[in-house]
Structures are given as C-alpha cells and as structure tokens.
C-alpha cells in the first residue's frame, strides 16, 4: 500500500461534497491501492459545520478500507496543511438580485485567501482543482497568489461539459457513448464555452461526417451543452451535483493517469488565441501523475474561431471585474 494522500475538500458539506466524498474514499479518484486522508473544510457557519459532522459520521459508517483519517475544520490553514490535492468546491452562490460583478468579487476574496494559504501550508507536490464558480476565474485568482507553487498546478474543471458533450453526440448519432472520442471543451465553464465537435470522432470517423446535420452541431448541440446547468436547475430545482462530483472524479483521475487526453481549464499561455493570463479549457495530455502538457495543435475553422473569441472575451471581462483584488 502507498502512504495516504491528503486530500483537502472545501464546501465539503455542500451538495457536490455529499456526492463526491464517498466516491473519493472508496478509491474511485486515486485508485484501489491508494489510501486517503480527507481534510474537510467548511465555511465557519454553525449549520454547515453541523452538517459536516453528519457527513463525517456517514463516512465512518461506510468503513472504507482506504480511508485513513478525516479532519473537519473551518480553518483553511488546518484543512490545507500538507495537502497533496486541494479540491476547491465551496463558493458563495449567486443570491437573488446579486450582480455577476458582486459574485466575482465575493468569491474572489475567498479564492485569494485560499490561494495564499495553500501556497503557504500545502505539500510541496500540491495540486489544486477548482470547481466553485466562476471556476476559471477563481482558479486564476488562487494561482495569482502562489509564490511557491507553479501556475500549472492550478486547474479548473470543465470535465462536466466534456461529459455532457460526449453524451449529446452519442445520443444524436445513436451510438454507444464509448464510440465518441476526442470531444474537448475550450474556454470558460459558462454558456460561452465551446465543445469543438469538428475534432471529435464517432466510431473512428469524423463526427461531422457521422452527424451531417451542421445546423444542429452549430446551434442546438452547442446550446444544449452550454446551458445544461440551467436546464438541470429548471428540472431538479437544484444545480447539478452528482454529475459535477462525477466529473471531478474524472478530472483528477485523468490528471493522475499518464497518456489520457482530456479537457482541463489551465493557464492559457496564449494558446488558441486565449489571453495569456486567463484559465481556459483546452485539451491536455497527462504526462506524469499530476502533470500535463497542453495540446495546441488542433486547427480551428472560422466558426470555431468566433466561438473561441467570445469565450475569451468573457474570461477577460471576468478578470477585469476582479483586477483590483489581485493587484
Ligand atoms: P452548495 O451550496 O450545496 O455547497 C457549497 C458549500 O460550500 C456550502 O456547504 C458552503 O457552506 C461551503 N462554502 C462556502 N464558502 C466556503 C469557504 N470559504 N470555505 C469552505 N466552504 C465554503 O453548492 P454545490 O452545489 O455543492 O456547488 C459548489 C460549487 O460548485 C458552486 O460554486 C457551483 O456553482 C459550482 N459548480 C461548478 C460546476 C463546474 O462544472 N465547474 C458544476 C456544478 C456546480 O454548479
């Protein structure tokens, strides 16, 4: 058995947390030979901390052989201490009448503080995965505070969007899901993100050959994937939770599995025309566990270029809203 990995999770008593922690402790994220210690961080709110106690009790009651310890805390300096992975799920939700700029600023303050503390106390090999929205910009903010950890340790999740796109293509083509490959998400985790269908394959053939309905690919496909979160809220009365937790399991599992190519929001470095200092979804290839290289060779047609420009514009606007915070 390997020594246990320390995995810090913020928002651990939230709805994504409730779907995530049991899979994490069962080995779905790091594999059946990798023990974990869960370092669960909640907001300093009595109700949230009480709920966290209940979650920890249920984790105990599962008797997971790989779960070697549970820390419950509202102090990020305790929760992130020596963490190998920091899963930043907790964020302030958008309240009624709240402007997007206010949401960005409120969350910006949380992610500035978390970025500083992670940089100060997490393990030397720490990796950070951001789920809390606006995920790309929160990730950029946390990374901006790091002096010790390099920027490529900070990733944001667009895997839920990739999974959604894969599922929609399979359904339209009438094939098994596993027949759909190479569908990657570019840009922001928001309705502006772009699922690049032109590079996808279905049963080994170009998706655009198998699905000849170009109008569907340009219109309803992109819209369905982009607005799926809102459709789920409308249907369920609550935002995606189990599928988001599942996507985070996939995100990290793919990042620790060399050779896998998958969509991750990473520091753009100017690839695909994204501004150099935004975190944008794009395909990456995992090189060694926890490390990756961006795949920058996909050609983009005019339709794709216009989509990339729109999502890049939104990322730049989000950064402008919080620019005064990260000076
Ligand atoms: P919940 O509101 O159920 O849970 C959030 C939890 O975070 C709460 O328990 C809250 O007390 C806690 N929290 C708030 N501030 C905190 C802080 N500073 N430190 C530690 N804990 C803190 O939300 P949930 O449905 O679990 O969603 C969590 C986040 O994921 C939201 O920001 C949501 O928008 C985002 N999502 C991101 C997705 C993605 O693909 N990137 C998809 C799903 C989801 O919408």
């Amino acid at each position: 058995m390997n020594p246990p990995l320390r995995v810090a999770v913020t928002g651990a008593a939230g709805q994504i947390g409730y779907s995530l922690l049991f899979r994490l402790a069962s080995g779905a994220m790091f594999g059946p030979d990798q023990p974990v210690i869960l370092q669960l961080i909640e907001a300093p709110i009595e109700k949230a901390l009480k709920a966290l106690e209940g979650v920890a009790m249920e984790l105990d009651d599962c008797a997971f052989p790989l779960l070697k310890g549970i820390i419950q805390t509202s102090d990020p300096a305790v929760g992130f201490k020596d963490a190998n992975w920091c899963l930043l799920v907790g964020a302030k939700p958008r309240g009624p009448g709240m402007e997007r700029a206010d949401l960005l600023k409120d969350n910006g303050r949380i992610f500035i503080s978390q970025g500083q503390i992670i940089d100060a106390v997490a393990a030397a090999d720490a990796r950070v995965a951001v789920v809390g929205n606006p995920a790309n910009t929160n990730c950029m903010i946390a990374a901006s505070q790091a002096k010790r950890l390099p920027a490529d340790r900070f990733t944001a999740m667009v895997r839920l969007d990739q999974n959604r796109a894969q599922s929609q293509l399979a359904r339209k083509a009438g094939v098994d899901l596993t027949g759909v490959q190479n569908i990657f998400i570019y840009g922001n985790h928001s309705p502006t993100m772009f699922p690049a269908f032109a590079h996808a394959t279905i049963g080994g053939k170009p998706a655009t050959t198998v699905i000849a309905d170009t109008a569907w690919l340009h219109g309803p496909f992109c819209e369905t994937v982009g607005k799926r979160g809102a459709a789920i809220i409308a249907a369920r009365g609550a935002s995606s939770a189990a599928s988001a937790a599942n996507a985070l399991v996939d995100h990290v599992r793919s990042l620790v599995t060399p050779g896998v190519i998958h969509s991750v929001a990473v520091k753009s470095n100017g690839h695909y025309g994204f501004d150099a200092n935004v975190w944008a979804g794009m395909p990456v290839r995992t090189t060694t566990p926890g490390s990756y290289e961006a795949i920058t060779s996909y050609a983009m047609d005019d339709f794709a270029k216009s989509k990339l420009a729109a999502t890049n514009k939104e990322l730049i606007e989000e950064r402008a809203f919080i620019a005064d915070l990260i000076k």
Side-chain angles (χ1 to χ4, degrees):
M1 274 281 173
N2 300 319
L5 276 178
R6 293 183 172 271
V7 186
V9 182
T10 68
Q15 51 154 6
I16 293 177
Y18 194 69
S19 287
L20 173 72
L21 297 175
F22 300 88
R23 293 193 61 203
L24 210 171
S26 73
M29 189 177 273
F30 295 105
D33 300 321
Q34 180 56 63
V36 291
I37 295 171
L38 294 180
Q39 308 194 159
L40 308 179
I41 306 171
E42 254 300 340
I45 300 167
E46 200 185 327
K47 201 171 159 212
L49 291 169
K50 191 84 190 146
L52 186 60
E53 254 179 66
V55 174
M57 285 158 70
E58 283 203 74
L59 282 163
D60 277 344
D61 294 350
C62 291
F64 287 120
L66 293 173
L67 183 56
K68 301 301 179 193
I70 304 174
I71 291 169
Q72 302 170 52
T73 184
S74 59
D75 181 351
V78 173
F80 292 126
K81 180 93 179 94
D82 299 328
N84 307 103
W85 278 87
C86 302
L87 309 180
L88 307 187
V89 179
K92 184 170 174 174
R94 191 166 177 167
M98 194 176 181
E99 295 293 333
R100 187 171 171 79
D102 295 331
L103 179 73
L104 278 155
K105 285 207 162 140
D106 283 358
N107 276 310
R109 288 185 194 97
I110 294 173
F111 283 82
I112 281 183
S113 159
Q114 291 183 350
Q116 289 171 351
I117 295 170
I118 289 168
D119 198 50
V121 306
D125 70 350
R127 263 75 182 168
V128 180
V130 178
V131 174
N133 279 321
N136 299 51
T137 297
N138 288 341
C139 187
M140 184 270 291
I141 293 170
S144 75
Q145 301 304 302
K147 296 186 179 67
R148 180 177 59 117
L149 301 175
D152 64 3
R153 300 284 188 86
F154 291 77
T155 62
M157 186 175 93
V158 288
R159 184 57 173 268
L160 180 54
D161 310 299
Q162 177 184 310
N163 290 349
R164 287 167 170 168
Q166 183 179 5
S167 190
Q168 292 299 318
L169 289 176
R171 178 172 290 217
K172 176 76 172 173
V175 301
D176 185 79
L177 187 97
T178 53
V180 178
Q181 299 292 323
N182 292 334
I183 177 71
F184 302 119
I185 303 297
Y186 291 76
N188 205 3
H189 169 67
S190 84
T192 67
M193 55 84 181
F194 177 51
F197 52 81
H199 308 133
T201 58
I202 300 177
K205 299 191 188 112
T208 47
T209 311
V210 179
I211 300 173
D213 187 350
T214 307
W216 180 83
L217 288 167
H218 285 202
F221 169 64
C222 290
E223 271 167 38
T224 301
V225 178
K227 296 183 179 164
R228 188 71 162 179
I232 285 164
I233 292 174
R236 206 173 84 85
S239 58
S240 334
S243 56
N246 176 67
L248 183 55
V249 171
D250 288 347
H251 174 102
V252 176
R253 186 94 187 116
S254 294
L255 276 174
V256 296
T257 310
V260 177
I261 301 178
H262 52 122
S263 309
V264 180
V266 297
K267 187 174 191 296
S268 95
N269 293 324
H271 302 315
Y272 295 107
F274 287 114
D275 191 90
N277 194 29
V278 297
W279 260 247
M282 65 184 75
V284 308
R285 179 188 296 104
T286 299
T287 49
T288 56
S291 300
Y292 56 85
E293 60 192 9
I295 295 178
T296 58
S297 52
Y298 279 116
M300 298 290 172
D301 61 15
D302 287 346
F303 177 77
K305 280 182 187 158
S306 72
K307 290 289 205 180
L308 295 182
T311 193
N312 182 42
K313 179 167 173 280
E314 185 181 52
L315 286 166
I316 291 171
E317 282 166 4
E318 287 187 4
R319 190 182 55 196
F321 276 134
I322 53 80
D324 54 329
L325 294 181
I326 58 170
K327 265 184 205 153

